[in-house]
Amino acid sequence: MKYKYKLSLSVIAVFLIFGSLLLINYGIYKKSLSKNYIALSDSKCINVIYSDDTDLLLVNPRTLSDEDGMANIPRTITIINKCSTDETVSLYLDYYDDSTIKDSKMKVSVNGDETISPVILSNVSKVLGSGNVKNTYKLINIDVNKNETKRLNLRLWLDENEIVTANTNRFHSKYYVYSDKEIKINNISDTILNNSKDNLKEIDNNYYFTGNVTNNYIRFADMLWKIVAINSDKTIKVVYANNDLESIYNDNIYKDESVAYENSKVKELLDTFYQEKLSSYDKFIVEKEFNNDTSYERGWKTTYGSYKRNIELNEPSIKPYETDKQFGGNKKYKIGLLTLDEINIAGASSEDNNYYLNEGVDYYTMSPAVFNGSAYMCIINSNGQMDATSPRYKLVVKPVINLIDSLEIVGQGTAECPYLT
């Protein structure tokens, strides 16, 4: 009996030791999968626990219906508010540029204490990322009362309507909870994307303002400008907001090279304007390609590319077009003009012409129109319509420059309270 009693005690002791080791290892395992104490406030009183690694990589995922996608095992996030006040945090997702699957093909959903119904990821509010992060998506705001705990379930899947043909397909992302007050968005591009997403059109990773925009004004070099676009490299294209500069485009209208920007009277005016008004701000202005598009079709007249695309076909494009002409084309400058394509994207072909680049005056674009023994340039007329005219007429000239993104700005972007650099 004593032997059996001792044996029983030994077995119990082994189980106790083994159980303790399991608990310790479970604690270590759980800790390794968690990111506690993300600094969400000065007092560091918010805890965030992730059930899995926050790096979310999907390789060759199957296409799924919403029903099947919601049946996937979720990534669970627990948010614990130990603060003395109510707090608001947000769930973000970074989309990495090494992904071969586009964000427009992915569905995302959140349920639990907060809910996002299945939605295409590219339709979620976003800002441009930096480094190897292409876009950052703000998935959902979470209000967490003091001493409250909230749990979220995140799911991501390839939409059932999409076809991916590459041998190896990957979608690389990272998700995290962060306090909005900790994210300081001071640079121009992020501020614009957050404040004006409803008026921006994405074209090849460029974001163009369209329509009757009233919050794209910026004061730079003590002058008022309108923001036209966020370029793909996050520089900012702006156009002079005033109409006090005038010039002919060229005076020799009987040669086809009179449509070339590099030999124009307009370029002379803009170079002088830059030297007198902007040269002291040169480090904030980026040299960029301007498209004096002299690609053409030849019939009984020479029809240049931008005229064909916009006035005849209404198919604007921001692509650079090659030409065998010895003039025009794509050249880098610190200052130039808008193309007819860019103004058409803004709304020049709309029925009511109620768009922000309708200035109520005739002004030149950088785009040639036609040559039929005499040259014509594309313009925007006083009704805001796309048109063409002889380069010998004196019209308004609207300078265009590109600003670096790292300028910090304040303001609301309106004409009364423009962004200030």
Side-chain angles (χ1 to χ4, degrees):
M1 290 293 293
K2 289 183 179 180
Y3 173 75
K4 290 182 178 179
Y5 176 71
K6 289 180 180 179
L7 182 61
S8 298
L9 288 177
S10 298
V11 171
I12 292 170
V14 168
F15 274 106
L16 286 172
I17 293 169
F18 183 70
S20 298
L21 288 173
L22 281 177
L23 286 172
I24 292 168
N25 286 334
Y26 173 75
I28 293 171
Y29 171 75
K30 184 176 180 182
K31 185 174 181 181
S32 69
L33 291 180
S34 303
K35 285 193 175 181
N36 291 344
Y37 263 127
I38 288 187
L40 295 170
S41 64
D42 293 338
S43 59
K44 298 184 179 180
C45 51
I46 295 284
N47 277 6
V48 181
I49 302 172
Y50 302 96
S51 64
D52 301 86
D53 188 347
T54 57
D55 195 77
L56 203 169
L57 175 63
L58 302 179
V59 179
N60 293 330
R62 294 182 298 115
T63 58
L64 298 173
S65 65
D66 288 353
E67 182 180 359
D68 290 336
M70 292 300 295
N72 274 339
I73 297 173
R75 302 290 181 101
T76 300
I77 305 156
T78 303
I79 305 162
I80 307 166
N81 183 5
K82 296 182 178 180
C83 306
S84 60
T85 58
D86 299 342
E87 298 287 331
T88 298
V89 295
S90 298
L91 176 59
Y92 290 88
L93 186 138
D94 289 340
Y95 168 45
Y96 287 96
D97 60 9
D98 62 349
S99 300
T100 60
I101 302 176
K102 293 183 178 179
D103 49 356
S104 59
K105 297 178 181 291
M106 300 300 297
K107 280 283 187 74
V108 64
S109 175
V110 175
N111 67 2
D113 292 324
E114 303 287 348
T115 301
I116 300 178
S117 298
V119 62
I120 293 293
L121 181 60
S122 60
N123 292 335
V124 177
S125 175
K126 66 182 175 182
V127 295
L128 289 175
S130 59
N132 60 345
V133 176
K134 187 173 183 180
N135 291 317
T136 294
Y137 292 92
K138 184 176 182 178
L139 300 181
I140 195 168
N141 290 326
I142 308 111
D143 295 323
V144 192
N145 297 329
K146 63 180 179 179
N147 300 319
E148 184 180 21
T149 297
K150 284 197 172 181
R151 291 180 178 84
L152 309 176
N153 299 308
L154 171 67
R155 293 177 176 88
L156 197 67
W157 65 91
L158 182 61
D159 184 40
E160 64 178 335
N161 298 314
E162 299 299 338
I163 298 175
V164 181
T165 57
N167 292 329
T168 302
N169 307 299
R170 52 188 280 132
F171 185 86
H172 188 193
S173 61
K174 186 181 183 71
Y175 61 95
Y176 50 93
V177 171
Y178 217 80
S179 170
D180 289 343
K181 63 188 178 186
E182 292 265 326
I183 297 178
K184 297 179 174 62
I185 302 175
N186 295 321
N187 56 342
I188 304 175
S189 65
D190 285 340
T191 302
I192 295 167
L193 284 168
N194 276 277
N195 294 348
S196 309
K197 57 180 178 293
D198 293 338
N199 296 112
L200 290 169
K201 180 177 182 179
E202 183 179 1
I203 304 173
D204 297 333
N205 293 322
N206 301 271
Y207 291 82
Y208 277 84
F209 275 103
T210 63
N212 184 24
V213 185
T214 58
N215 64 341
N216 63 336
Y217 288 87
I218 184 169
R219 184 164 290 280
F220 173 77
D222 294 324
M223 291 177 282
L224 193 63
W225 306 76
K226 292 181 182 180
I227 302 168
V228 174
I230 303 169
N231 301 315
S232 59
D233 61 359
K234 298 184 74 174
T235 54
I236 312 300
K237 179 171 289 188
V238 300
V239 61
Y240 188 52
N242 295 328
N243 300 315
D244 53 359
L245 296 178
E246 292 184 344
S247 175
I248 65 170
Y249 192 89
N250 227 325
D251 49 10
N252 187 352
I253 64 172
Y254 301 111
K255 293 183 178 180
D256 57 356
E257 58 261 37
S258 61
V259 301
Y261 175 74
E262 65 261 35
N263 302 320
S264 68
K265 298 295 183 182
V266 165
K267 184 177 185 300
E268 292 178 14
L269 173 67
L270 293 184
D271 287 347
T272 300
F273 177 83
Y274 191 94
Q275 186 60 37
E276 293 178 352
K277 302 288 188 180
L278 295 169
S279 57
S280 58
Y281 300 88
D282 185 73
K283 66 180 180 179
F284 304 114
I285 301 171
V286 183
E287 187 177 62
K288 295 283 290 182
E289 278 196 348
F290 285 82
N291 187 10
N292 179 218
D293 181 14
T294 49
S295 65
Y296 62 94
E297 289 183 1
R298 182 167 287 153
W300 65 272
K301 63 180 178 179
T302 298
T303 303
Y304 289 104
S306 192
Y307 183 93
K308 179 77 174 180
R309 288 191 302 275
N310 293 281
I311 294 179
E312 293 186 4
L313 301 176
N314 192 23
E315 296 176 354
S317 171
I318 61 171
K319 295 178 181 178
Y321 288 85
E322 295 183 1
T323 180
D324 59 8
K325 296 282 189 183
Q326 300 303 306
F327 55 84
N330 299 291
K331 291 183 172 63
K332 286 189 174 183
Y333 300 109
K334 285 279 185 127
I335 191 167
L337 297 173
L338 292 174
T339 65
L340 189 66
D341 299 82
E342 290 174 317
I343 303 172
N344 194 6
I345 290 168
S349 61
S350 59
E351 292 184 3
D352 59 5
N353 293 317
N354 187 20
Y355 66 104
Y356 76 99
L357 290 176
N358 180 354
E359 300 286 355
V361 297
D362 297 339
Y363 66 93
Y364 278 115
T365 75
M366 198 176 234
S367 303
V370 297
F371 183 80
N372 60 358
S374 179
Y376 290 84
M377 290 297 299
C378 294
I379 68 165
I380 300 299
N381 65 30
S382 59
N383 294 319
Q385 299 166 328
M386 297 180 290
D387 207 341
T389 194
S390 170
R392 66 185 175 185
Y393 292 120
K394 181 180 282 189
L395 304 182
V396 169
V397 176
K398 298 185 72 63
V400 173
I401 56 176
N402 292 274
L403 304 176
I404 62 173
D405 183 39
S406 57
L407 290 169
E408 292 190 357
I409 61 173
V410 296
Q412 299 175 7
T414 62
E416 298 75 22
C417 184
Y419 294 124
L420 300 174
T421 61

